[in-house]
Amino acid sequence: MKKSNWLLLVLALVLSMFLAACSGGGDEEGADEGSGNEGSESEQQEGEQGASGEQVLNLAESAEIPTMDSSMATDTIAFQWLGSTKDGLYRLDEEAQAEPGIAKDHEVSEDGTTYTFNLREDATWSNGDPVTANDFVYAWQRAVDPDQGSEYGPYMMSGVIQNAEAIAAGEMDVSELGVTAVDDYTLEVQLEQATPYFESLTAFGTFLPLNQEFVEEQGDSYAQEADTLLSNGPFKFESWDHGEGWTVVKNEDYWDAENVQLEQINVNVVKDIATGVNLYNSGEIDRTALSSEFVDEYRSSEEFQIKDEPTLFYIKMNQEDEVLSNVNARKAIQHAIDKQSMTDVILNNGSKPSTGHMPEGFVTHPETGEGFREMNGDLITSDLEKAKEHWSTAKEELGMEEVELEYLGGDTETAQKIDAYIKDQLEQLEGLTVNVTSVPFEVRLERDTNMNYQLQNSGWGPDYIDPNTFLNMWLTDGGNNHTGYSSEEYDSLINEANTDLAQEPEARWENFLEAEKLLMDDAVLAPLYQRSVAQLQKPYVNGVYVNPMGADYTYKYAYIEKE
Amino acid sequence: MVRYISERLVYMLITLLLIATMTFFLMKLLPGTPLSAADKLSEEQQAIVLEKYGLNDPLPVQYFNYIAGLFQGDLGLSFQFDNREVTTILLERMGPSMTLGAQSLILGTIIGMLLGLIAAIYHNGVVDYGSTLIAVIGKSIPSFVFAGILQFYLGVQWGLFPVALWEGWEYTVLPTIALAIFPIAIAARYMRTEMLEVLGSDFITTARAKGVNRFGVVFKHGLRNAMIPLVTIIGPLAVSLMTGTLVIENIFSVPGIGEQFVKSINTNDYPIIMGTTLFFSFLFILIILIIDLLYGLIDPRIRLTEGD
């Protein structure tokens, strides 16, 4: 009896092991499959671009893929892997210009509202079906269908594709969407108005085609696993172990397969930056992001890179607030912060001070190719003397000596450091007290929507390659304005650019230049910095293009060059 | 015994229902929506999407829908992982967390108990001070510090074990050791204190006087009596270890549930919040039941009889 009791005790103690073993088994199997692929791949020597050695790229992503359903995708990781495994009408090339994807070319009607795309006839899905015009019609209709519950569908298509807004609001049937398959290989798109950036928009994830038959056959399980999704792009999914990582391999049936050199990309989910650096140093991954504390250690390394992003951070100022309704008070805030020290010391990752509301290296003049930022120059520089002048004028106009402002900031470590610095800088203005409130993103969003804030640290990244993506949000009825800013002059500049001048790129460009100047002069926001990411990348990785929107990287032309 | 267990199971269900109710309403107090692009959509557009998920319904309606689903074994669909079933996600993520939890619990308690035992036997000797020191260090230094050290030396520098990731048994070694530090410290401390007390009791002296050798006394009479308090704390420890830890999972890139739970709260992924909370609660209640039953096995004086 005694002995059996002890046995029971031991059994009970390891009861937990049963559970663990049961559910753990599946993972291990998956892992075995994954590691079996390594090394055994054929070593193709394609020579032409110096590709040599095993064409396998090992990467880490900071989170798992939330969804591979292009109608539902909203985040960079989803767009990254959609972009790597699927081709839309167009793709973005090295210079972020549209290059042919499924579309060979297209014609635009004289008024700029009808696009006719001629599709290539040699493109197929990974199940062998041809990619046809109907795949686009189906995908776009699905994205705006209220029953689908897509967020990016209505966001990207409203006001661009004819009737998208009304359909998304449930006021019209999806069949009314301005997209029709004239025949299998001709797609006609009706736009609400001429949209000069439409071509680059078709490279975006939400506009990718879907194989209707396959999607409907899979139903709710569509794009949930590696075997319930289809590819028509340079790579296709081989395995997808959700929290762990995934593997894509070259899609031999891709229409442009001859230009794809990588055989395989292995991706692991690595959330901790220090872990990423350790994995990089032990040769497990070929690229890793660095946080500011690692930058000094690796700055002199040849593998160190700064990846510029077109994402801007700035202080939003609520003009419905008594103090901030005063333009001089806002101007004082614009100029009071030493942005160079902020990017050099606190961020220390290559981020640059921002001096307007258009990132550097994002858009260029349609004729001369000169950058927007270069043309408009540094509109808001750090200038404490100027700030103090504006501040004393403001105090006089307001009849106040002591001013207290609440500053809404983020709750991440970096955000808190930045916010403490900004508080310190702003309080150089005599009589100003800044109280920082650190809140989670969701809370900030809610208070932004309700305009329940005074100062707020905010950020914006582009959704398409056009100045409009940064400037139209400050329209009086702009969905993300939430500052109380309303200027007839500004509204007419932007609206004119998108209507009368839509077909005149140069005049349109002038409007945007004017609008940005006005935006800064009206002190709607105080620019802070343009974000960059510091990273390490192995020297044998070549031909990876960085994109300003959608998928962060293009791997189609990437290759490995090992001794 | 059967009656006792079935009674406990009924209480378990009631407890779970209460937890579900409280979590549901507390969770709805979280600011924001489960939408991931809420900053880009107008309020009207948001409302249309929320309508699709039944999130515009009055709270009581949402609550009853959820509970009704729960009784049919339906935990709902995740928001952040677009339409994936919560059950699938939980099963996927529990595996690694429970493997690590169980391994570190077993490793930790065995080593801890041994340390505590030795310390008690060689009371006030060098061994005692040494094991006490280990216990104090283990208790006071957070596990992520150990994790970082283990990863850097055993992984990067000496290449003994994989640095991170989750691709086979050898990948569990470092996170298991990192997680085991805490149970080692706890078990060692409890074991030492209890053992000292037990070893000082009269019946031990009697046994010794009867000529039972030193180790016989310790293992046969001492250990069993010293186990009761240990078993009490192992229960909650087991739950906290097996439900995953955000920090260790992040450092070793383990696809576990701990990280997922935190993320679901940050993204207002209601079904995942509910699913994980309920699962954790279930595990906790279950382990408490097991512990209660274990007491009887270890110490017949607290054994439950029919009709208790």
Side-chain angles (χ1 to χ4, degrees), chain A residues 1-2 5-6 8-9 12-17 19-21 23-24 27-28 31-32 35 38 63-69 72 74 146-152 154-155 158 165 168-170 220 222 224-225 241-244 268-272 274-275 278-279 281-282 284-285 440-443 445-446 449-450 459-463 479-480 482, chain B residues 30-43 45-46 48-49 52-53 77 80-85 88 91-96 98-99 102-103 105-106 148 151-152 155-156 163-169 171-172 219-220 223-224 227 231 234 242 250-255 259-260 263 266-268 283 286-287 290 294 296-298 303:
Chain A
M1 188 61 199
K2 259 188 185 171
N5 273 357
W6 273 101
L8 270 176
L9 173 68
L13 267 174
V14 295
L15 175 84
S16 39
M17 278 296 266
L19 296 165
S23 42
D27 289 309
E28 274 152 35
D32 287 341
S35 51
E38 289 165 28
E64 68 176 293
I65 301 176
T67 179
M68 276 300 291
D69 183 337
M72 304 302 284
T74 56
D147 289 336
Q148 181 59 34
S150 164
E151 294 175 51
Y152 256 66
Y155 175 64
S158 291
E165 196 156 9
D220 285 343
Y222 172 69
Q224 302 269 354
E225 306 294 338
D241 297 313
H242 291 263
E244 212 179 304
N268 280 295
V269 178
V270 176
K271 288 169 175 149
D272 191 77
T275 306
N278 283 339
L279 285 169
N281 285 331
S282 57
E284 298 275 328
I285 53 176
F441 179 69
E442 293 281 346
V443 177
L445 215 57
E446 195 168 277
T449 310
N450 299 329
W460 191 259
D463 292 303
N480 288 290
H482 301 313
Chain B
L30 285 172
T33 64
L35 302 181
S36 39
D39 56 335
K40 309 218 154 176
L41 297 179
S42 69
E43 279 172 66
Q45 285 171 327
Q46 289 188 33
I48 291 166
V49 181
K52 197 223 158 192
Y53 298 105
L77 302 174
Q80 46 171 329
F81 302 107
D82 167 54
N83 288 346
R84 262 172 87 74
E85 288 203 26
T88 317
L91 287 178
E92 254 170 28
R93 297 311 201 90
M94 281 316 294
M98 290 187 96
T99 309
Q103 286 183 184
L105 183 72
I106 291 167
Q151 184 177 59
F152 186 72
V156 183
V163 172
L165 305 183
W166 191 253
E167 292 174 355
W169 185 80
Y171 289 82
T172 68
F219 284 102
K220 249 181 149 173
L223 190 59
R224 193 155 166 176
M227 289 258 306
V231 169
I234 280 181
M242 290 197 295
N250 277 354
I251 291 180
F252 291 104
S253 297
V254 177
E259 186 273 332
Q260 191 47 55
K263 197 176 165 203
N266 285 336
T267 56
N268 285 353
L283 213 60
L286 185 74
I287 287 201
I290 293 173
L294 271 184
L297 289 180
I298 298 168
R303 187 165 294 171

Side-chain angles (χ1 to χ4, degrees), chain B residues 220-275:
Chain B
K220 249 181 149 173
H221 302 280
L223 190 59
R224 193 155 166 176
N225 284 291
M227 289 258 306
I228 293 284
L230 198 61
V231 169
T232 313
I233 54 141
I234 280 181
L237 198 61
V239 177
S240 76
L241 283 173
M242 290 197 295
T243 49
T245 29
L246 170 74
V247 180
I248 297 289
E249 283 174 11
N250 277 354
I251 291 180
F252 291 104
S253 297
V254 177
I257 191 82
E259 186 273 332
Q260 191 47 55
F261 188 41
V262 177
K263 197 176 165 203
S264 68
I265 296 173
N266 285 336
T267 56
N268 285 353
D269 193 346
Y270 302 133
I272 299 260
I273 302 180
M274 288 301 291

Side-chain angles (χ1 to χ4, degrees), chain A residues 39-299:
Chain A
S40 59
E41 287 296 323
S42 59
E43 292 189 17
Q44 286 197 334
Q45 302 273 342
E46 290 187 47
E48 46 180 321
Q49 275 179 298
S52 57
E54 207 182 24
Q55 294 300 307
V56 176
L57 183 62
N58 294 299
L59 298 173
E61 285 281 14
S62 61
E64 68 176 293
I65 301 176
T67 179
M68 276 300 291
D69 183 337
S70 53
S71 308
M72 304 302 284
T74 56
D75 76 303
T76 53
I77 294 176
F79 287 134
Q80 173 62 58
W81 296 99
L82 280 166
S84 304
T85 56
K86 289 181 124 189
D87 260 19
L89 291 170
Y90 282 90
R91 303 178 51 90
L92 293 183
D93 69 6
E94 191 172 3
E95 305 296 324
Q97 300 297 315
E99 66 169 16
I102 299 300
K104 286 183 293 191
D105 51 40
H106 70 272
E107 294 106 44
V108 189
S109 68
E110 217 154 277
D111 64 354
T113 59
T114 308
Y115 279 65
T116 311
F117 294 93
N118 301 308
L119 310 190
R120 64 180 65 253
E121 299 179 16
D122 56 348
T124 54
W125 291 100
S126 43
N127 67 352
D129 291 355
V131 180
T132 63
N134 183 60
D135 296 338
F136 289 92
V137 176
Y138 173 67
W140 296 11
Q141 287 181 349
R142 186 171 180 263
V144 290
D145 186 347
D147 289 336
Q148 181 59 34
S150 164
E151 294 175 51
Y152 256 66
Y155 175 64
M156 297 301 291
M157 293 185 188
S158 291
V160 176
I161 315 268
Q162 201 172 46
N163 297 336
E165 196 156 9
I167 295 166
E171 291 157 7
M172 244 189 223
D173 190 75
V174 287
S175 59
E176 308 273 327
L177 189 69
V179 54
T180 33
V182 178
D183 59 50
D184 273 0
Y185 299 103
T186 312
L187 183 76
E188 198 182 279
V189 183
Q190 297 288 338
L191 303 184
E192 289 279 355
Q193 59 197 23
T195 309
Y197 51 87
F198 184 65
E199 217 176 294
S200 75
L201 209 55
T202 64
F204 195 77
T206 318
F207 293 83
L208 292 173
L210 290 169
N211 182 326
Q212 179 167 10
E213 197 184 328
F214 184 84
V215 172
E216 286 175 352
E217 189 182 288
Q218 296 296 332
D220 285 343
S221 57
Y222 172 69
Q224 302 269 354
E225 306 294 338
D227 56 0
T228 61
L229 51 86
L230 286 183
S231 150
N232 70 340
F235 300 96
K236 60 182 181 187
F237 267 78
E238 184 174 82
S239 66
W240 183 7
D241 297 313
H242 291 263
E244 212 179 304
W246 51 91
T247 299
V248 298
V249 294
K250 180 178 174 179
N251 178 6
E252 297 294 346
D253 300 324
Y254 179 49
W255 63 269
D256 198 19
E258 61 184 48
N259 285 319
V260 180
Q261 301 192 53
L262 277 187
E263 288 295 329
Q264 185 171 342
I265 307 177
N266 299 314
V267 188
N268 280 295
V269 178
V270 176
K271 288 169 175 149
D272 191 77
I273 298 239
T275 306
V277 174
N278 283 339
L279 285 169
Y280 181 86
N281 285 331
S282 57
E284 298 275 328
I285 53 176
D286 297 330
R287 185 178 68 218
T288 187
L290 295 175
S291 50
S292 57
E293 63 265 32
F294 285 105
V295 170
D296 291 330
E297 189 183 341
Y298 290 99
R299 194 187 293 279

